[in-house]
Amino acid sequence: MCRNIHQLHNFEPPATADEIQAAALQYVRKVAGATRPSQANQAAFDRAVAAVAAATADLLGELVTTAPPKNREIEAAKARARAERRYAS
């Protein structure tokens, strides 16, 4: 859906509240079609971000897996390599 929203499940250490909040903000921005809501819509926008963040935290807390946790640095290096291949001219 949105390239800026990254996988948060199955990392060691687990996703932080800031990472969850950032993902929720990106999701609401995408759905709303605006990066900055008008003053009239600010309260609804803020409530939606809080609700999505809470739902995300609940989901991450309940998910189970038998796969070993991923390393953030290794996954970031893989993403950089993919981007280099994608944007190579």
Side-chain angles (χ1 to χ4, degrees):
M1 181 182 130
C2 184
R3 290 186 189 169
N4 294 332
I5 299 176
H6 302 284
Q7 179 179 340
L8 299 176
H9 175 61
N10 199 27
F11 280 99
E12 190 59 45
T16 65
D18 288 341
E19 290 173 315
I20 292 170
Q21 181 72 18
L25 179 60
Q26 283 293 339
Y27 175 79
V28 172
R29 283 177 174 171
K30 185 71 166 187
V31 171
T35 57
R36 302 181 94 197
S38 66
Q39 287 182 339
N41 293 327
Q42 186 67 52
F45 193 88
D46 292 343
R47 282 192 306 273
V49 170
V52 170
T56 301
D58 289 346
L59 174 65
L60 292 174
E62 292 183 26
L63 290 176
V64 295
T65 183
T66 58
K70 297 175 187 170
N71 181 294
R72 292 177 187 280
E73 289 78 27
I74 292 172
E75 295 301 317
K78 288 179 186 177
R80 282 190 297 274
R82 283 191 304 271
E84 286 175 8
R85 285 192 306 272
R86 183 180 318 135
Y87 298 117
S89 42

